[in-house]
Amino acid sequence: MISLTEENYLKALIYLSFLAPGVEEKKDVGTNELASYLKLKSSTVNEMLKRLKEKNLINHEKYKKITLTPSGEQNGLKIVRKHRLWETFLFTKLDFDWIEIHEVAEQLEHIKSEKLVGKIDKLLGYPNFDPHGDPIPDKHGKIPQRITKNLSAVDIGKNCIVLAVSDTSKDFLNYLEDLGISIKTEIGLIDKIAYDRSIKIKIKDKQYSISKKVADNLLVNEKFN
Amino acid sequence: MISLTEENYLKALIYLSFLAPGVEEKKDVGTNELASYLKLKSSTVNEMLKRLKEKNLINHEKYKKITLTPSGEQNGLKIVRKHRLWETFLFTKLDFDWIEIHEVAEQLEHIKSEKLVGKIDKLLGYPNFDPHGDPIPDKHGKIPQRITKNLSAVDIGKNCIVLAVSDTSKDFLNYLEDLGISIKTEIGLIDKIAYDRSIKIKIKDKQYSISKKVADNLLVNEKFN
DNA sequence: ATTATTAGTTAGGTAATACTAACTATTATA
DNA sequence: TATAATAGTTAGTATTACCTAACTAATAAT
Ligand SMILES: [Mn+2]
Ligand SMILES: [Mn+2]
Ligand SMILES: [Mn+2]
Ligand SMILES: [Mn+2]
């Protein structure tokens, strides 16, 4: 039996070691890094590491970095899968807002029922990506791959679809909401201003100007049409 | 904040004091009664009673019986409501079996999101009864009333609809499943055998004989047709 | 009215999960 | 290389939620 708390540690380790945006190859994780991500003290994390090691979910030697065992990774990916499936359910079937889904999914991800996960997956039509555009691991833990680029890398005159965001802070999500940008929003790239590297875009025939910082945090798929 | 464990205690108190089948007027609950229902030791329950009293959820004087405060009752009814809404959701939207839903709802009932409960309620069309035929408290805690009688009290020749069961043990539910009896199953009462008080019934033109004990645990609504 | 039984409480202990404060090991910098 | 900074561990404490064993209070039986 893996406790709710242990599940959250595994999910965090998955995230920090290879699922976080910008992490290309798997990287080892430090105690303090994990503690600060979970908003806990490193002594607390240190105790839990002993328990996770005991349960053969992580590898960890005193004063060394942490890696997930195959079992730890599988179990962690199951939580990620449930989290993202629930987010998709809340968004597409219950009309929750983009911003609200995470907090509720944080609870729902811990419901223990293989059958329930399978039924929700089926109900949603076996989606590959959640409403934030993040890939949903399949039941074996396989993560669907995506070809995305930053909006700032899109060529002038091209249209693209928002697939994901690389910043999920409330500030950023609220700003996007104001602009009317969410997953699957179509954006046309009108112009790139050399002076401040800001970008002129078009959403449903309305034009907006966004900063390079914003454009860098929007991951898109260029449209071929 | 009411913890998951505290919520389960409140739900148990609601059940034992007025929601259990056969309990007509509200009755006070004893420490041991609660302990045995929750499959805990009375010392454990005794400790929790202190905390629940501290939080103004129950009234309890040393060596006396337990009663719920208005706050305790409201909070307990919210859990009952969520439990029964989730059971309905699993049964009607995800094709779960009658027998499987309880265990999963036992987890889902603790998800904290007013909005989620409301959305599920709406998705289900604001149902008054769950798949076991038990009433679903509304958002204010009001419990819809029903006119039911035991199958054994139905007159010979009449037809009736199963609304609820007063025994929810796995053994009984499995037996009903074998007979093809579930909520909303139509049963015709063919004959009552005086000798052993067994009852001859008809389900979809097939005849069966059931014991008085079984008939007593089936709550039905006589059909007027 | 005693006494036996049942109901309820108290004391003391454990495991999981958190904390602070104080320590040690590793790594970076001058 | 010596020292400072960072990373990680240990010790001791708290809370929640469970336990067993031993007790006391209330109630039923003789
Ligand atoms: Mn999320
Ligand atoms: Mn979580
Ligand atoms: Mn149930
Ligand atoms: Mn429960």
Side-chain angles (χ1 to χ4, degrees):
Chain A
M1 249 312 81
I2 300 178
S3 75
L4 185 151
T5 312
E6 289 166 346
E7 287 186 343
N8 282 337
Y9 275 80
L10 292 180
K11 192 166 62 114
L13 284 168
I14 293 267
Y15 186 79
L16 294 172
S17 63
F18 64 90
L19 222 59
V23 182
E24 287 309 319
E25 349 78 81
K26 276 191 192 179
K27 76 185 240 305
D28 297 354
V29 178
T31 307
N32 285 319
E33 185 186 4
L34 183 53
S36 97
Y37 179 74
L38 290 169
K39 296 185 174 64
L40 295 172
K41 301 298 162 182
S42 40
S43 55
T44 302
V45 168
N46 198 256
E47 282 233 318
M48 176 58 94
L49 294 179
K50 284 176 195 156
R51 241 170 299 144
L52 293 174
K53 192 189 174 185
E54 197 60 44
K55 290 188 172 184
N56 201 29
L57 295 163
I58 61 165
N59 307 117
H60 185 231
E61 299 308 321
K62 246 192 187 184
Y63 294 106
K64 297 281 158 60
K65 299 288 179 183
I66 311 151
T67 59
L68 285 157
T69 63
S71 163
E73 184 170 319
Q74 279 304 304
N75 282 108
L77 283 170
K78 271 186 189 172
I79 309 301
V80 172
R81 169 173 161 77
K82 286 196 275 182
H83 182 98
R84 294 180 176 178
L85 281 174
W86 278 116
E87 284 192 339
T88 309
F89 172 78
L90 295 172
F91 188 76
T92 66
K93 298 292 174 184
L94 298 186
D95 295 312
F96 268 67
D97 295 332
W98 205 30
I99 300 160
E100 305 166 317
I101 59 179
H102 178 78
E103 178 179 333
V104 183
E106 202 60 46
Q107 300 176 60
L108 287 164
E109 71 188 2
H110 301 289
I111 301 293
K112 283 173 175 41
S113 167
E114 286 288 337
K115 185 164 182 173
L116 179 56
V117 187
K119 292 277 192 182
I120 292 286
D121 195 20
K122 184 181 177 188
L123 182 72
L124 298 170
Y126 309 103
N128 284 127
F129 300 97
D130 77 13
H132 301 299
D134 294 318
I136 300 172
D138 73 13
K139 76 174 81 158
H140 308 293
K142 195 165 182 302
I143 300 166
Q145 290 307 314
R146 248 180 347 205
I147 317 100
T148 60
K149 49 167 74 180
N150 294 335
L151 179 59
S152 48
V154 170
D155 293 322
I156 293 170
K158 293 265 183 175
N159 277 19
C160 58
I161 305 288
V162 175
L163 288 180
V165 290
S166 47
D167 174 3
T168 56
S169 69
K170 283 209 166 156
D171 279 354
F172 187 59
L173 295 179
N174 278 320
Y175 176 71
L176 293 185
E177 184 138 291
D178 289 346
L179 277 174
I181 294 175
S182 60
I183 293 307
K184 288 177 188 160
T185 297
E186 182 162 347
I187 296 178
L189 206 141
I190 307 289
D191 202 5
K192 297 182 180 186
I193 312 301
Y195 173 62
D196 61 358
R197 300 208 286 170
S198 70
I199 288 163
K200 204 172 276 180
I201 58 172
K202 187 183 66 182
I203 302 168
K204 288 181 194 148
D205 294 316
K206 276 197 174 178
Q207 289 202 13
Y208 304 91
S209 175
I210 59 173
S211 67
K212 176 154 195 307
K213 184 178 176 185
V214 168
D216 277 344
N217 283 320
L218 286 168
L219 297 171
V220 301
N221 199 340
E222 256 184 65
K223 276 187 85 178
F224 300 99
N225 63 357
Chain B
M1 248 311 82
I2 301 177
S3 75
L4 185 149
T5 313
E6 289 165 348
E7 287 186 343
N8 282 337
Y9 274 80
L10 292 180
K11 191 165 63 115
L13 283 169
I14 292 266
Y15 185 78
L16 294 172
S17 63
F18 66 92
L19 221 61
V23 182
E24 287 308 319
E25 348 77 81
K26 275 190 191 178
K27 78 184 239 304
D28 297 353
V29 178
T31 306
N32 286 320
E33 186 186 4
L34 183 54
S36 96
Y37 179 74
L38 290 169
K39 296 186 172 65
L40 296 172
K41 301 299 163 181
S42 39
S43 56
T44 302
V45 168
N46 199 256
E47 282 228 320
M48 177 59 95
L49 293 180
K50 284 176 197 159
R51 235 173 305 145
L52 293 174
K53 191 188 175 186
E54 198 58 45
K55 290 188 172 186
N56 201 29
L57 295 164
I58 62 165
N59 306 117
H60 185 232
E61 299 307 319
K62 248 194 187 184
Y63 294 107
K64 296 282 158 58
K65 300 289 178 183
I66 310 150
T67 58
L68 285 157
T69 63
S71 163
E73 185 170 318
Q74 279 305 305
N75 283 106
L77 283 170
K78 270 186 191 174
I79 310 300
V80 173
R81 169 174 162 79
K82 285 196 275 183
H83 182 98
R84 293 180 176 177
L85 281 174
W86 279 115
E87 284 192 338
T88 309
F89 171 78
L90 295 173
F91 189 76
T92 65
K93 298 293 174 184
L94 297 186
D95 294 312
F96 268 68
D97 295 330
W98 206 28
I99 300 161
E100 306 166 315
I101 58 179
H102 178 79
E103 177 178 333
V104 183
E106 201 60 46
Q107 300 177 60
L108 287 163
E109 71 189 3
H110 301 289
I111 301 293
K112 283 172 175 42
S113 167
E114 286 288 339
K115 184 163 183 173
L116 179 56
V117 187
K119 293 277 193 181
I120 292 285
D121 195 20
K122 183 181 178 187
L123 181 72
L124 298 170
Y126 309 102
N128 284 127
F129 301 97
D130 76 13
H132 302 299
D134 294 318
I136 300 171
D138 73 12
K139 75 174 82 155
H140 307 293
K142 194 162 183 303
I143 300 166
Q145 290 307 312
R146 243 179 351 200
I147 317 99
T148 60
K149 47 167 73 179
N150 293 335
L151 179 60
S152 48
V154 171
D155 294 323
I156 293 170
K158 293 265 183 175
N159 277 19
C160 58
I161 304 288
V162 176
L163 287 180
V165 291
S166 47
D167 175 2
T168 56
S169 68
K170 282 207 168 160
D171 278 355
F172 187 59
L173 296 179
N174 277 321
Y175 176 70
L176 293 185
E177 184 136 291
D178 289 347
L179 276 174
I181 294 175
S182 61
I183 294 305
K184 289 179 186 160
T185 298
E186 181 161 352
I187 296 178
L189 205 142
I190 308 288
D191 202 3
K192 296 180 180 188
I193 312 302
Y195 173 62
D196 61 356
R197 301 208 285 171
S198 70
I199 287 164
K200 205 172 276 179
I201 58 172
K202 188 182 66 180
I203 302 169
K204 287 182 196 150
D205 293 316
K206 276 195 173 179
Q207 290 201 12
Y208 304 91
S209 174
I210 59 172
S211 68
K212 174 149 195 311
K213 184 178 176 186
V214 168
D216 277 343
N217 282 319
L218 286 168
L219 297 171
V220 301
N221 199 341
E222 257 185 63
K223 274 187 87 176
F224 301 99
N225 63 356

